[in-house]
Amino acid sequence: MPLAHEHEIHARRRSRNFGLGAVLVAFVVLIFLLTFVKVTQQSIAFPDQPVASGKPDAGGN
Amino acid sequence: MSDASITPEVTGGEAEFGDYIALLKPRVMSLVVFTAFIGLIAAPVPVHPVIAFCAVLFIAIGGGASGALNMWYDADIDAVMKRTSGRPIPSGRVGAHEALALGLTLAGFSCVMLALAANVFSGLFLAFTIFFYAVIYTMWLKRWTPQNIVIGGAAGAFPPMIGWAVSTGGVSLESVLMFLLVFMWTPPHFWALALFMKSDYDAAKVPMLTATHGRRVTRRHILAYTLLLAPLAIGTGFTSIGGPFYMAVAVVLNGLFLLGALRIWRRDEEAAAADGYKVEKSFFKLSLIYLFAHFAAIGAEAGLHHFNVGGW
């Protein structure tokens, strides 16, 4: 049976829950944006690409 | 827990979201955000806007963590002082252990995130700042020496240096000057407040200079720090973060600040009490404008650089 009268304690808990939810959503969005910027700002070398400061080849002459 | 077990006592200890925000001292955070942002944009190395936003946010969260740790440790003092008795811990809305947990969590979170978002140096710098404020100032100096304001003020002066470090990855003369600007400004600002809020600090047994060395000495100290601050603030105008606009602001405001400090120094207690500490209160208000305007002028010079107008 639903509560006929909502106690102030419920309003305070709801405020905490919504507040924390908003903080978590904002954090996810922030990390997504940050990751996007970090990845697009740096040039990424794929594994099959030569590394500029690489060691000599194993079977080098 | 069933709803039937709810009692008024429990209700009193149930915090809402805003109480946790209050633990982070939002007003102090606003100063941290502002000075850190100016330190970041005044630096010669450009930062991507998203990284800049994240960096300032994490610096602000670090400042908030310091605030929560400060409220946890100073709950006994806050309960005595009228100005602070309504804070979340003394009013019973948030438990002291919750404030400690929140402070420690946010401190670790903000430092790691700043190191990841910007660079390791700025993350370590933020960690040192939180340690300085929470341990050196709050736990040690605040209750021990009347110079608490001077040394504790350093913690509030670090954010522009951290902002600069986010951009450059290091420290330079300009960032040290921004630090000194806030560091030297803090004592006259807080001692002016202590002159017209004396009963609060006395009741809390915090060794403010007004109580330990008397109000005459405090007035002398305000003048001395203002005399040291003025050449420093104007000298900053000759560096790469200064320029004609900053210099105009610095000359006018330091003139007014010196005049205010001189008036405070010349007054005695009878005269101050007679007009309700009018001069001290106006000096305190001016000190708020003073710091804001100096940093705003540094920011304006940095902005004007883009149009080849700012700087020398």
Side-chain angles (χ1 to χ4, degrees):
Chain A
M1 190 181 82
L3 287 169
H5 173 69
E6 187 183 73
H7 199 276
E8 191 194 349
I9 202 168
H10 295 113
R12 290 186 187 191
R13 280 180 189 166
R14 192 185 308 115
S15 145
R16 278 209 315 253
N17 295 339
F18 277 107
L20 187 60
V23 166
L24 289 173
V25 169
F27 181 63
V28 169
V29 171
L30 201 68
I31 293 301
F32 174 76
L33 287 173
L34 192 59
T35 307
F36 182 78
V37 169
K38 286 273 183 188
V39 167
T40 51
Q41 265 196 335
Q42 293 166 5
S43 55
I44 298 169
F46 290 97
D48 58 337
Q49 286 179 328
V51 181
S53 59
K55 298 168 191 171
D57 291 338
N61 41 352
Chain B
M1 188 178 78
S2 72
D3 290 303
S5 67
I6 295 168
T7 62
E9 288 75 25
V10 173
T11 308
E14 192 79 22
E16 56 185 25
F17 188 69
D19 292 322
Y20 294 103
I21 298 293
L23 274 180
L24 309 183
K25 297 192 177 182
R27 285 181 68 183
V28 178
M29 274 171 85
S30 63
L31 176 70
V32 168
V33 166
F34 179 60
T35 56
F37 174 71
I38 297 296
L40 196 151
I41 62 166
V45 184
V47 180
H48 191 283
V50 171
I51 295 177
F53 174 80
C54 289
V56 173
L57 178 70
F58 297 138
I59 296 169
I61 293 171
S66 308
L69 293 171
N70 173 274
M71 283 208 202
W72 159 71
Y73 195 80
D74 278 350
D76 57 332
I77 292 176
D78 289 347
V80 176
M81 291 173 65
K82 192 174 76 180
R83 183 171 63 89
T84 54
S85 60
R87 284 178 174 176
I89 300 176
S91 65
R93 298 194 303 278
V94 175
H97 60 285
E98 277 185 287
L100 174 63
L102 184 73
L104 290 174
T105 306
L106 290 183
F109 169 82
S110 59
C111 296
V112 171
M113 287 308 299
L114 185 62
L116 291 171
N119 53 62
V120 174
F121 179 75
S122 55
L124 289 172
F125 205 158
L126 181 61
F128 172 73
T129 304
I130 295 169
F131 170 80
F132 196 94
Y133 186 74
V135 178
I136 306 284
Y137 170 67
T138 302
M139 295 182 190
W140 181 25
L141 292 169
K142 185 173 178 177
R143 298 172 190 237
W144 184 64
T145 166
Q147 295 300 313
N148 47 16
I149 292 302
V150 180
I151 304 157
F158 283 130
M161 285 189 85
I162 303 174
W164 184 278
V166 163
S167 176
T168 64
V171 173
S172 71
L173 171 71
E174 288 85 352
S175 73
V176 172
L177 283 170
M178 283 191 284
F179 165 84
L180 287 173
L181 191 61
V182 184
F183 179 67
M184 299 300 290
W185 163 87
T186 307
H189 168 75
F190 274 106
W191 281 330
L193 179 72
L195 280 175
F196 62 85
M197 299 266 288
K198 69 168 184 176
S199 57
D200 255 352
Y201 288 110
D202 291 350
K205 295 190 174 67
V206 175
M208 284 300 278
L209 196 64
T210 43
T212 57
H213 289 71
R215 306 166 75 73
R216 184 71 253 154
V217 172
T218 306
R219 290 173 187 279
R220 209 176 298 147
H221 272 66
I222 289 173
L223 178 62
Y225 274 92
T226 308
L227 283 169
L228 291 169
L229 175 64
L232 194 111
I234 293 169
T236 302
F238 292 108
T239 66
S240 70
I241 57 172
F245 179 68
Y246 172 88
M247 194 58 94
V249 170
V251 167
V252 170
L253 280 175
N254 281 281
L256 291 172
F257 212 47
L258 272 170
L259 201 65
L262 272 168
R263 289 172 70 196
I264 284 181
W265 174 64
R266 285 166 63 178
R267 269 154 76 88
D268 55 22
E269 278 312 302
E270 288 74 30
D275 67 6
Y277 294 92
K278 199 174 162 188
V279 172
E280 289 77 5
K281 284 176 182 172
S282 71
F283 182 81
F284 178 75
K285 282 180 192 163
L286 177 65
S287 72
L288 294 169
I289 298 167
Y290 178 97
L291 194 72
F292 174 80
H294 274 81
F295 274 88
I298 292 172
E301 290 286 359
L304 289 170
H305 270 298
H306 294 293
F307 303 100
N308 294 322
V309 183
W312 295 109

